[in-house]
Amino acid sequence: MYKTNQPVLALLLSSLVVVSTSAHAAGPKAEVLHWWTSGGESAAVAKFADAYRAAGGAWTDTAIAGGDQARSVAINRMVGGNPPTAAQFNISRQFQDVVEQDMLNNVDDVATRENWDKTLPEPIRNVLKIKGHYYAVPVNIHMPGWIWYSKSAFKKAGIDKEPSTPDELFAALDKLKGAGLIPLAHGGQAWQETIVFMAMLANVGGKELYLSVMRDRNVTAMNSEAFRKVLLSFKRLRSYIDTASPGRNWNDTTALLIKGTAGMQIMGDWALGEFVAAKQVAGREYGCMPGLGPKAPYLIQGDAFVFPKTSNPETIKAQKLLASIVVAPGPQLDFNKLKGSIPIRNDLDVTQLNLCAQMGLEIMKDKSRHAGIGEIYLTPDQNGALTDVLTAYWNTNMAVEKAQKNIIAALKN
Ligand code: GAL
Protein backbone atom coordinates (compact mmCIF):
# COMPACT_ATOMS: atom_id res chain seq x y z
CA MET A 1 0.00 0.00 0.00
CA TYR A 2 1.72 3.20 -1.10
CA LYS A 3 1.91 6.21 1.16
CA THR A 4 -0.72 8.77 0.37
CA ASN A 5 -0.86 12.44 1.08
CA GLN A 6 -3.93 12.43 3.38
CA PRO A 7 -5.21 16.00 2.69
CA VAL A 8 -5.10 15.45 -1.08
CA LEU A 9 -6.90 12.10 -0.73
CA ALA A 10 -9.58 13.70 1.51
CA LEU A 11 -10.07 16.45 -1.06
CA LEU A 12 -10.30 13.89 -3.86
CA LEU A 13 -12.80 11.75 -1.95
CA SER A 14 -14.91 14.77 -0.98
CA SER A 15 -15.01 15.88 -4.62
CA LEU A 16 -16.09 12.33 -5.61
CA VAL A 17 -18.77 12.46 -2.91
CA VAL A 18 -19.87 15.86 -4.30
CA VAL A 19 -20.08 14.38 -7.82
CA SER A 20 -21.97 11.31 -6.62
CA THR A 21 -24.45 13.33 -4.53
CA SER A 22 -24.96 15.77 -7.37
CA ALA A 23 -25.52 12.72 -9.61
CA HIS A 24 -28.10 11.46 -7.10
CA ALA A 25 -29.54 15.00 -6.88
CA ALA A 26 -30.14 14.94 -10.67
CA GLY A 27 -33.00 12.51 -10.31
CA PRO A 28 -35.30 11.24 -13.08
CA LYS A 29 -34.49 13.00 -16.35
CA ALA A 30 -37.50 14.31 -18.28
CA GLU A 31 -37.37 15.87 -21.72
CA VAL A 32 -40.67 17.77 -22.11
CA LEU A 33 -41.75 18.84 -25.62
CA HIS A 34 -44.31 21.67 -25.84
CA TRP A 35 -45.23 24.79 -27.83
CA TRP A 36 -45.52 27.32 -24.99
CA THR A 37 -43.16 29.99 -26.31
CA SER A 38 -44.96 33.30 -25.71
CA GLY A 39 -44.17 35.48 -22.67
CA GLY A 40 -47.12 34.25 -20.65
CA GLU A 41 -46.80 30.63 -21.76
CA SER A 42 -43.08 30.31 -21.00
CA ALA A 43 -43.55 31.94 -17.59
CA ALA A 44 -46.27 29.40 -16.86
CA VAL A 45 -44.45 26.25 -18.00
CA ALA A 46 -41.40 27.36 -15.97
CA LYS A 47 -43.54 26.74 -12.88
CA PHE A 48 -43.93 23.09 -13.87
CA ALA A 49 -40.18 22.85 -14.48
CA ASP A 50 -39.42 24.45 -11.10
CA ALA A 51 -41.74 22.01 -9.31
CA TYR A 52 -40.25 19.02 -11.13
CA ARG A 53 -36.71 20.09 -10.23
CA ALA A 54 -37.74 20.79 -6.62
CA ALA A 55 -38.91 17.17 -6.50
CA GLY A 56 -35.39 16.09 -7.50
CA GLY A 57 -35.99 15.64 -11.21
CA ALA A 58 -33.93 16.99 -14.11
CA TRP A 59 -36.16 18.85 -16.63
CA THR A 60 -34.97 19.39 -20.20
CA ASP A 61 -37.21 21.93 -21.95
CA THR A 62 -37.86 21.33 -25.68
CA ALA A 63 -40.02 24.30 -26.72
CA ILE A 64 -41.16 24.36 -30.38
CA ALA A 65 -43.21 27.37 -31.55
CA GLY A 66 -46.60 26.55 -33.01
CA GLY A 67 -48.96 23.75 -32.04
CA ASP A 68 -49.00 22.09 -35.46
CA GLN A 69 -45.20 22.11 -35.65
CA ALA A 70 -44.67 20.85 -32.09
CA ARG A 71 -47.19 18.02 -32.48
CA SER A 72 -45.69 16.81 -35.76
CA VAL A 73 -42.19 16.79 -34.23
CA ALA A 74 -43.52 14.82 -31.25
CA ILE A 75 -45.27 12.26 -33.45
CA ASN A 76 -42.29 11.95 -35.84
CA ARG A 77 -39.95 11.36 -32.90
CA MET A 78 -42.28 8.71 -31.47
CA VAL A 79 -42.48 6.96 -34.84
CA GLY A 80 -38.70 7.35 -35.26
CA GLY A 81 -38.02 5.65 -31.92
CA ASN A 82 -36.58 8.74 -30.21
CA PRO A 83 -39.55 10.11 -28.28
CA PRO A 84 -39.42 12.83 -25.65
CA THR A 85 -40.31 11.77 -22.10
CA ALA A 86 -43.56 13.71 -22.42
CA ALA A 87 -45.21 15.83 -25.11
CA GLN A 88 -47.95 18.48 -25.05
CA PHE A 89 -51.11 17.89 -27.03
CA ASN A 90 -54.47 19.59 -26.89
CA ILE A 91 -57.21 17.75 -25.03
CA SER A 92 -58.62 16.48 -28.31
CA ARG A 93 -58.44 13.65 -30.85
CA GLN A 94 -54.93 14.84 -31.89
CA PHE A 95 -53.18 11.86 -30.29
CA GLN A 96 -55.80 9.20 -31.06
CA ASP A 97 -53.70 7.70 -33.88
CA VAL A 98 -50.65 7.14 -31.67
CA VAL A 99 -52.90 5.52 -29.06
CA GLU A 100 -54.23 3.17 -31.71
CA GLN A 101 -50.64 2.38 -32.75
CA ASP A 102 -49.95 1.50 -29.09
CA MET A 103 -47.27 4.18 -28.76
CA LEU A 104 -48.39 5.77 -25.49
CA ASN A 105 -48.32 4.59 -21.88
CA ASN A 106 -51.73 4.85 -20.29
CA VAL A 107 -51.97 7.03 -17.16
CA ASP A 108 -54.68 5.08 -15.37
CA ASP A 109 -52.75 5.14 -12.09
CA VAL A 110 -52.92 8.97 -12.02
CA ALA A 111 -56.54 8.91 -13.20
CA THR A 112 -57.54 6.62 -10.34
CA ARG A 113 -55.58 8.58 -7.74
CA GLU A 114 -57.07 11.88 -8.99
CA ASN A 115 -60.55 10.39 -9.40
CA TRP A 116 -60.86 11.72 -12.96
CA ASP A 117 -63.98 9.64 -13.65
CA LYS A 118 -65.77 11.90 -11.21
CA THR A 119 -63.84 15.18 -11.41
CA LEU A 120 -63.15 15.78 -15.12
CA PRO A 121 -65.74 17.70 -17.21
CA GLU A 122 -67.49 15.29 -19.59
CA PRO A 123 -66.09 16.69 -22.90
CA ILE A 124 -62.56 16.29 -21.47
CA ARG A 125 -63.14 12.84 -19.99
CA ASN A 126 -64.73 11.55 -23.20
CA VAL A 127 -61.71 12.40 -25.32
CA LEU A 128 -58.93 11.43 -22.88
CA LYS A 129 -60.44 8.04 -22.01
CA ILE A 130 -60.10 5.67 -24.97
CA LYS A 131 -61.39 2.10 -24.69
CA GLY A 132 -61.48 2.43 -20.89
CA HIS A 133 -57.97 3.79 -20.41
CA TYR A 134 -56.70 7.37 -19.95
CA TYR A 135 -53.88 8.28 -22.35
CA ALA A 136 -53.02 11.85 -21.38
CA VAL A 137 -52.66 13.92 -18.21
CA PRO A 138 -54.75 17.10 -18.54
CA VAL A 139 -53.16 20.18 -16.97
CA ASN A 140 -55.72 22.93 -17.61
CA ILE A 141 -58.99 24.01 -19.17
CA HIS A 142 -58.84 26.67 -21.90
CA MET A 143 -61.66 28.27 -23.88
CA PRO A 144 -60.82 29.53 -27.40
CA GLY A 145 -63.76 31.89 -27.90
CA TRP A 146 -63.05 34.69 -25.40
CA ILE A 147 -63.43 38.28 -26.60
CA TRP A 148 -60.71 40.53 -25.14
CA TYR A 149 -60.89 44.31 -25.28
CA SER A 150 -58.74 47.31 -24.45
CA LYS A 151 -60.47 49.61 -21.97
CA SER A 152 -58.65 52.67 -23.31
CA ALA A 153 -59.66 51.83 -26.90
CA PHE A 154 -63.30 51.36 -25.83
CA LYS A 155 -63.19 54.71 -24.02
CA LYS A 156 -61.66 56.46 -27.02
CA ALA A 157 -64.37 54.99 -29.27
CA GLY A 158 -67.16 55.93 -26.87
CA ILE A 159 -68.16 52.32 -26.15
CA ASP A 160 -69.51 52.23 -22.62
CA LYS A 161 -71.11 48.77 -22.60
CA GLU A 162 -69.71 45.33 -23.44
CA PRO A 163 -71.37 44.05 -26.64
CA SER A 164 -73.69 41.17 -25.76
CA THR A 165 -75.16 40.38 -29.18
CA PRO A 166 -73.69 40.04 -32.70
CA ASP A 167 -75.32 43.36 -33.72
CA GLU A 168 -73.77 45.11 -30.71
CA LEU A 169 -70.41 43.51 -31.58
CA PHE A 170 -70.47 44.96 -35.10
CA ALA A 171 -71.68 48.32 -33.80
CA ALA A 172 -68.72 48.43 -31.41
CA LEU A 173 -66.35 47.47 -34.23
CA ASP A 174 -67.77 50.34 -36.33
CA LYS A 175 -67.19 52.78 -33.45
CA LEU A 176 -63.59 51.55 -33.04
CA LYS A 177 -63.04 52.02 -36.79
CA GLY A 178 -64.52 55.52 -36.55
CA ALA A 179 -62.09 56.35 -33.74
CA GLY A 180 -59.14 55.43 -35.95
CA LEU A 181 -58.25 52.28 -33.98
CA ILE A 182 -57.72 48.74 -35.25
CA PRO A 183 -61.23 47.44 -34.54
CA LEU A 184 -60.42 43.71 -34.50
CA ALA A 185 -56.89 42.55 -33.73
CA HIS A 186 -56.54 39.28 -35.65
CA GLY A 187 -53.48 37.15 -36.34
CA GLY A 188 -53.83 35.98 -39.94
CA GLN A 189 -52.97 32.31 -39.47
CA ALA A 190 -55.28 29.46 -40.43
CA TRP A 191 -55.69 28.10 -36.87
CA GLN A 192 -56.64 31.60 -35.68
CA GLU A 193 -59.27 31.89 -38.42
CA THR A 194 -60.69 28.59 -37.16
CA ILE A 195 -60.92 30.02 -33.65
CA VAL A 196 -62.81 33.10 -34.91
CA PHE A 197 -65.12 30.83 -36.92
CA MET A 198 -65.86 28.59 -33.89
CA ALA A 199 -66.62 31.67 -31.80
CA MET A 200 -69.07 32.97 -34.42
CA LEU A 201 -70.66 29.54 -34.89
CA ALA A 202 -71.22 29.37 -31.13
CA ASN A 203 -72.33 32.98 -30.62
CA VAL A 204 -74.32 33.58 -33.82
CA GLY A 205 -75.49 30.00 -34.45
CA GLY A 206 -75.98 28.87 -30.86
CA LYS A 207 -75.03 25.63 -29.09
CA GLU A 208 -77.42 23.38 -31.02
CA LEU A 209 -76.17 24.45 -34.44
CA TYR A 210 -72.58 24.37 -33.15
CA LEU A 211 -72.91 20.73 -32.09
CA SER A 212 -74.84 19.74 -35.24
CA VAL A 213 -71.94 21.02 -37.34
CA MET A 214 -68.84 20.23 -35.24
CA ARG A 215 -69.94 17.08 -33.41
CA ASP A 216 -72.54 15.57 -35.74
CA ARG A 217 -71.19 16.96 -39.03
CA ASN A 218 -74.86 17.14 -40.03
CA VAL A 219 -75.25 18.03 -43.74
CA THR A 220 -78.71 19.56 -43.27
CA ALA A 221 -77.31 21.86 -40.58
CA MET A 222 -74.38 22.85 -42.79
CA ASN A 223 -76.76 23.56 -45.69
CA SER A 224 -79.08 25.64 -43.47
CA GLU A 225 -79.76 29.38 -43.72
CA ALA A 226 -78.65 29.66 -40.07
CA PHE A 227 -75.21 28.29 -40.94
CA ARG A 228 -75.02 30.58 -43.97
CA LYS A 229 -75.67 33.49 -41.60
CA VAL A 230 -72.82 32.29 -39.35
CA LEU A 231 -70.41 32.21 -42.27
CA LEU A 232 -71.48 35.67 -43.44
CA SER A 233 -70.95 37.04 -39.90
CA PHE A 234 -67.54 35.35 -39.75
CA LYS A 235 -66.49 36.88 -43.09
CA ARG A 236 -67.89 40.31 -42.13
CA LEU A 237 -65.28 40.47 -39.34
CA ARG A 238 -62.57 40.57 -41.98
CA SER A 239 -63.42 44.18 -42.83
CA TYR A 240 -62.27 45.20 -39.32
CA ILE A 241 -58.70 43.87 -39.32
CA ASP A 242 -55.47 45.76 -40.08
CA THR A 243 -53.14 45.27 -43.05
CA ALA A 244 -50.42 43.74 -40.84
CA SER A 245 -52.73 40.88 -39.84
CA PRO A 246 -51.53 38.19 -42.33
CA GLY A 247 -49.13 35.76 -40.61
CA ARG A 248 -49.07 37.64 -37.29
CA ASN A 249 -48.66 35.47 -34.17
CA TRP A 250 -51.56 35.44 -31.71
CA ASN A 251 -49.49 36.93 -28.88
CA ASP A 252 -48.14 39.77 -31.06
CA THR A 253 -51.80 40.42 -31.85
CA THR A 254 -52.74 40.49 -28.16
CA ALA A 255 -49.94 43.05 -27.74
CA LEU A 256 -52.00 45.50 -29.86
CA LEU A 257 -54.68 45.48 -27.15
CA ILE A 258 -52.07 45.76 -24.41
CA LYS A 259 -50.75 48.87 -26.19
CA GLY A 260 -54.29 50.22 -26.74
CA THR A 261 -53.92 50.48 -30.51
CA ALA A 262 -56.60 47.84 -31.15
CA GLY A 263 -60.04 47.36 -29.68
CA MET A 264 -60.89 43.65 -29.56
CA GLN A 265 -59.40 40.21 -30.15
CA ILE A 266 -61.28 36.90 -30.38
CA MET A 267 -58.78 34.44 -28.92
CA GLY A 268 -58.39 31.71 -26.34
CA ASP A 269 -57.72 32.59 -22.70
CA TRP A 270 -54.03 31.90 -23.18
CA ALA A 271 -54.17 35.57 -24.24
CA LEU A 272 -54.92 36.27 -20.57
CA GLY A 273 -51.39 35.08 -19.82
CA GLU A 274 -50.04 37.93 -21.99
CA PHE A 275 -52.04 40.56 -20.08
CA VAL A 276 -50.79 39.02 -16.82
CA ALA A 277 -47.19 39.03 -18.10
CA ALA A 278 -47.64 42.71 -19.04
CA LYS A 279 -48.83 43.35 -15.46
CA GLN A 280 -52.19 44.64 -16.69
CA VAL A 281 -55.29 44.11 -14.54
CA ALA A 282 -58.62 42.69 -15.70
CA GLY A 283 -61.30 45.36 -15.33
CA ARG A 284 -58.70 48.13 -15.33
CA GLU A 285 -56.62 48.05 -18.56
CA TYR A 286 -58.57 45.30 -20.31
CA GLY A 287 -61.87 43.45 -20.23
CA CYS A 288 -62.86 39.90 -21.10
CA MET A 289 -66.10 38.35 -22.35
CA PRO A 290 -66.62 34.55 -22.51
CA GLY A 291 -68.77 35.01 -25.60
CA LEU A 292 -71.77 37.22 -26.41
CA GLY A 293 -74.51 37.28 -23.82
CA PRO A 294 -75.23 35.31 -20.64
CA LYS A 295 -75.88 31.94 -22.27
CA ALA A 296 -73.09 31.83 -24.87
CA PRO A 297 -71.75 28.27 -25.31
CA TYR A 298 -68.49 27.67 -23.43
CA LEU A 299 -66.15 25.84 -25.84
CA ILE A 300 -64.01 23.57 -23.69
CA GLN A 301 -60.46 22.65 -24.62
CA GLY A 302 -57.21 22.42 -22.72
CA ASP A 303 -53.72 21.03 -22.67
CA ALA A 304 -52.41 17.63 -21.70
CA PHE A 305 -49.17 15.67 -21.61
CA VAL A 306 -48.86 12.30 -23.29
CA PHE A 307 -46.18 9.80 -22.25
CA PRO A 308 -44.61 7.84 -25.13
CA LYS A 309 -44.14 4.14 -24.48
CA THR A 310 -40.66 3.20 -23.29
CA SER A 311 -38.96 0.17 -21.73
CA ASN A 312 -36.43 2.36 -19.92
CA PRO A 313 -37.22 2.14 -16.18
CA GLU A 314 -35.55 5.54 -15.53
CA THR A 315 -37.79 7.18 -18.13
CA ILE A 316 -40.87 5.51 -16.69
CA LYS A 317 -39.89 6.86 -13.28
CA ALA A 318 -39.55 10.34 -14.81
CA GLN A 319 -42.96 10.02 -16.49
CA LYS A 320 -44.64 9.00 -13.22
CA LEU A 321 -42.97 11.84 -11.32
CA LEU A 322 -43.89 14.38 -14.02
CA ALA A 323 -47.52 13.19 -14.15
CA SER A 324 -47.87 13.55 -10.39
CA ILE A 325 -46.21 16.99 -10.34
CA VAL A 326 -48.33 18.64 -13.07
CA VAL A 327 -51.65 17.67 -11.42
CA ALA A 328 -50.55 18.56 -7.86
CA PRO A 329 -52.34 21.50 -6.17
CA GLY A 330 -49.31 23.83 -5.90
CA PRO A 331 -48.04 23.50 -9.48
CA GLN A 332 -51.63 23.58 -10.76
CA LEU A 333 -52.23 27.00 -9.18
CA ASP A 334 -48.79 28.39 -10.03
CA PHE A 335 -49.04 27.27 -13.68
CA ASN A 336 -52.66 28.27 -14.37
CA LYS A 337 -52.33 31.69 -12.71
CA LEU A 338 -49.75 32.61 -15.36
CA LYS A 339 -51.24 30.59 -18.24
CA GLY A 340 -54.67 32.26 -18.09
CA SER A 341 -56.37 28.87 -17.95
CA ILE A 342 -58.52 27.14 -15.32
CA PRO A 343 -56.98 24.37 -13.17
CA ILE A 344 -57.94 20.81 -14.02
CA ARG A 345 -58.65 19.98 -10.35
CA ASN A 346 -61.61 21.44 -8.51
CA ASP A 347 -60.28 21.48 -4.93
CA LEU A 348 -58.07 24.57 -5.06
CA ASP A 349 -58.28 28.06 -3.56
CA VAL A 350 -59.23 29.75 -6.83
CA THR A 351 -59.53 33.21 -5.29
CA GLN A 352 -55.90 33.60 -6.38
CA LEU A 353 -56.99 33.35 -10.04
CA ASN A 354 -57.64 36.30 -12.35
CA LEU A 355 -61.11 37.88 -12.67
CA CYS A 356 -61.55 36.38 -16.14
CA ALA A 357 -60.55 32.89 -15.00
CA GLN A 358 -63.06 33.23 -12.13
CA MET A 359 -65.77 33.99 -14.72
CA GLY A 360 -64.77 30.85 -16.60
CA LEU A 361 -64.89 28.80 -13.40
CA GLU A 362 -68.43 30.00 -12.75
CA ILE A 363 -69.53 29.00 -16.26
CA MET A 364 -67.89 25.59 -15.83
CA LYS A 365 -70.55 24.92 -13.16
CA ASP A 366 -73.29 25.34 -15.80
CA LYS A 367 -73.16 22.15 -17.89
CA SER A 368 -75.90 23.52 -20.17
CA ARG A 369 -73.30 25.84 -21.72
CA HIS A 370 -70.60 23.21 -22.24
CA ALA A 371 -69.45 22.10 -25.68
CA GLY A 372 -66.07 20.84 -26.84
CA ILE A 373 -63.87 22.68 -29.32
CA GLY A 374 -63.95 21.25 -32.83
CA GLU A 375 -60.93 19.01 -32.29
CA ILE A 376 -62.66 17.22 -29.44
CA TYR A 377 -65.03 15.84 -32.09
CA LEU A 378 -63.08 16.08 -35.37
CA THR A 379 -60.10 13.98 -36.40
CA PRO A 380 -56.91 15.92 -37.23
CA ASP A 381 -57.63 15.31 -40.94
CA GLN A 382 -61.21 16.63 -40.68
CA ASN A 383 -60.06 19.64 -38.63
CA GLY A 384 -57.25 20.33 -41.10
CA ALA A 385 -59.63 20.14 -44.07
CA LEU A 386 -62.12 22.46 -42.34
CA THR A 387 -59.32 24.91 -41.46
CA ASP A 388 -58.19 24.98 -45.10
CA VAL A 389 -61.71 25.90 -46.29
CA LEU A 390 -62.16 28.57 -43.61
CA THR A 391 -58.86 30.32 -44.28
CA ALA A 392 -59.55 30.24 -48.05
CA TYR A 393 -63.04 31.71 -47.46
CA TRP A 394 -61.51 34.36 -45.14
CA ASN A 395 -58.79 35.37 -47.59
CA THR A 396 -60.56 35.20 -50.96
CA ASN A 397 -63.87 36.25 -52.51
CA MET A 398 -65.22 32.68 -52.25
CA ALA A 399 -69.04 32.76 -52.27
CA VAL A 400 -70.67 31.72 -49.00
CA GLU A 401 -72.58 28.95 -50.80
CA LYS A 402 -69.24 27.55 -52.03
CA ALA A 403 -67.85 27.75 -48.52
CA GLN A 404 -70.83 25.73 -47.28
CA LYS A 405 -70.30 23.09 -49.96
CA ASN A 406 -66.54 22.90 -49.25
CA ILE A 407 -67.12 22.60 -45.49
CA ILE A 408 -69.55 19.74 -46.06
CA ALA A 409 -66.96 18.00 -48.26
CA ALA A 410 -64.23 18.65 -45.67
CA LEU A 411 -66.23 17.23 -42.77
CA LYS A 412 -67.68 14.27 -44.61
CA ASN A 413 -64.28 12.75 -45.38
C1 GAL B 1 -53.47 26.20 -27.76
C2 GAL B 1 -53.04 25.71 -26.37
C3 GAL B 1 -52.69 26.87 -25.47
C4 GAL B 1 -51.77 27.86 -26.18
C5 GAL B 1 -52.28 28.18 -27.59
C6 GAL B 1 -51.40 29.14 -28.36
O1 GAL B 1 -53.68 25.11 -28.58
O2 GAL B 1 -54.10 24.98 -25.77
O3 GAL B 1 -52.08 26.35 -24.29
O4 GAL B 1 -50.51 27.29 -26.26
O5 GAL B 1 -52.41 26.99 -28.31
O6 GAL B 1 -50.13 28.71 -28.46
Side-chain angles (χ1 to χ4, degrees), residues 183-306:
L184 179 69
H186 172 69
Q189 295 171 347
W191 72 276
Q192 296 187 59
E193 266 101 61
T194 303
I195 278 185
V196 174
F197 162 75
M198 284 196 288
M200 296 310 274
L201 178 54
N203 285 288
V204 175
K207 180 176 168 180
E208 200 181 318
L209 182 63
Y210 177 91
L211 289 175
S212 293
V213 171
M214 298 304 252
R215 181 193 59 197
D216 309 334
R217 296 180 286 131
N218 180 290
V219 175
T220 308
M222 291 187 273
N223 266 324
S224 69
E225 178 53 27
F227 188 57
R228 184 175 182 278
K229 209 171 137 230
V230 167
L231 287 171
L232 290 171
S233 299
F234 165 63
K235 183 63 182 283
R236 187 178 167 194
L237 289 173
R238 193 159 186 316
S239 59
Y240 296 99
I241 66 175
D242 62 308
T243 52
S245 171
R248 185 170 54 209
N249 289 329
W250 68 270
N251 51 314
D252 298 327
T253 306
T254 308
L256 298 173
L257 274 69
I258 291 169
K259 283 187 296 204
T261 52
M264 288 188 260
Q265 182 185 17
I266 299 173
M267 184 43 67
D269 41 9
W270 45 89
L272 180 52
E274 302 306 298
F275 289 106
V276 170
K279 309 253 183 291
Q280 292 197 341
V281 176
R284 195 176 66 192
E285 286 91 5
Y286 66 96
C288 51
M289 296 178 282
L292 295 172
K295 292 306 281 175
Y298 200 74
L299 308 182
I300 292 171
Q301 77 170 75
D303 298 302
F305 285 117
V306 302

Side-chain angles (χ1 to χ4, degrees), residues 35-36 41 88 90 140 142 191 250 270 301-303 339:
W35 65 86
W36 291 320
E41 291 171 329
Q88 176 199 352
N90 287 123
N140 62 8
H142 267 309
W191 72 276
W250 68 270
W270 45 89
Q301 77 170 75
D303 298 302
K339 188 72 176 64

Side-chain angles (χ1 to χ4, degrees), residues 14-317:
S14 65
S15 65
L16 281 179
V17 166
V18 166
V19 167
S20 63
T21 47
S22 66
H24 281 308
K29 290 181 178 48
E31 183 203 357
V32 183
L33 190 154
H34 61 82
W35 65 86
W36 291 320
T37 55
S38 78
E41 291 171 329
S42 43
V45 69
K47 293 297 180 188
F48 278 157
D50 293 348
Y52 187 76
R53 291 180 183 122
W59 171 296
T60 302
D61 199 71
T62 301
I64 298 174
D68 289 332
Q69 293 81 344
R71 292 190 293 269
S72 54
V73 168
I75 290 172
N76 291 341
R77 282 186 55 183
M78 286 182 217
V79 170
N82 170 33
T85 312
Q88 176 199 352
F89 278 80
N90 287 123
I91 295 174
S92 67
R93 297 181 65 180
Q94 290 167 356
F95 49 86
Q96 192 173 309
D97 283 354
V98 288
V99 169
E100 278 155 17
Q101 290 165 42
D102 195 26
M103 300 177 89
L104 297 184
N105 288 326
N106 76 51
V107 288
D108 290 340
D109 53 345
V110 190
T112 307
R113 194 176 66 231
E114 298 297 330
N115 197 15
W116 286 346
D117 280 348
K118 293 271 181 307
T119 60
L120 289 184
E122 193 183 347
I124 290 183
R125 189 173 64 244
N126 289 349
V127 81
L128 293 185
K129 196 170 185 180
I130 301 170
K131 298 193 186 93
H133 298 284
Y134 284 91
Y135 282 100
V137 173
V139 295
N140 62 8
I141 295 171
H142 267 309
M143 201 287 266
W146 281 82
I147 301 172
W148 310 94
Y149 64 91
S150 154
K151 286 264 188 187
S152 63
F154 266 34
K155 192 164 186 304
K156 188 176 174 196
I159 303 166
D160 50 14
K161 174 181 170 297
E162 288 184 351
S164 61
T165 66
D167 287 347
E168 288 179 6
L169 175 70
F170 287 108
L173 289 166
D174 287 333
K175 282 187 170 179
L176 289 160
K177 191 179 258 186
L181 294 152
I182 298 170
L184 179 69
H186 172 69
Q189 295 171 347
W191 72 276
Q192 296 187 59
E193 266 101 61
T194 303
I195 278 185
V196 174
F197 162 75
M198 284 196 288
M200 296 310 274
L201 178 54
N203 285 288
V204 175
K207 180 176 168 180
E208 200 181 318
L209 182 63
Y210 177 91
L211 289 175
S212 293
V213 171
M214 298 304 252
R215 181 193 59 197
D216 309 334
R217 296 180 286 131
N218 180 290
V219 175
T220 308
M222 291 187 273
N223 266 324
S224 69
E225 178 53 27
F227 188 57
R228 184 175 182 278
K229 209 171 137 230
V230 167
L231 287 171
L232 290 171
S233 299
F234 165 63
K235 183 63 182 283
R236 187 178 167 194
L237 289 173
R238 193 159 186 316
S239 59
Y240 296 99
I241 66 175
D242 62 308
T243 52
S245 171
R248 185 170 54 209
N249 289 329
W250 68 270
N251 51 314
D252 298 327
T253 306
T254 308
L256 298 173
L257 274 69
I258 291 169
K259 283 187 296 204
T261 52
M264 288 188 260
Q265 182 185 17
I266 299 173
M267 184 43 67
D269 41 9
W270 45 89
L272 180 52
E274 302 306 298
F275 289 106
V276 170
K279 309 253 183 291
Q280 292 197 341
V281 176
R284 195 176 66 192
E285 286 91 5
Y286 66 96
C288 51
M289 296 178 282
L292 295 172
K295 292 306 281 175
Y298 200 74
L299 308 182
I300 292 171
Q301 77 170 75
D303 298 302
F305 285 117
V306 302
F307 298 93
K309 253 200 163 65
T310 171
S311 54
N312 180 323
E314 273 306 297
T315 307
I316 292 170
K317 243 168 78 179

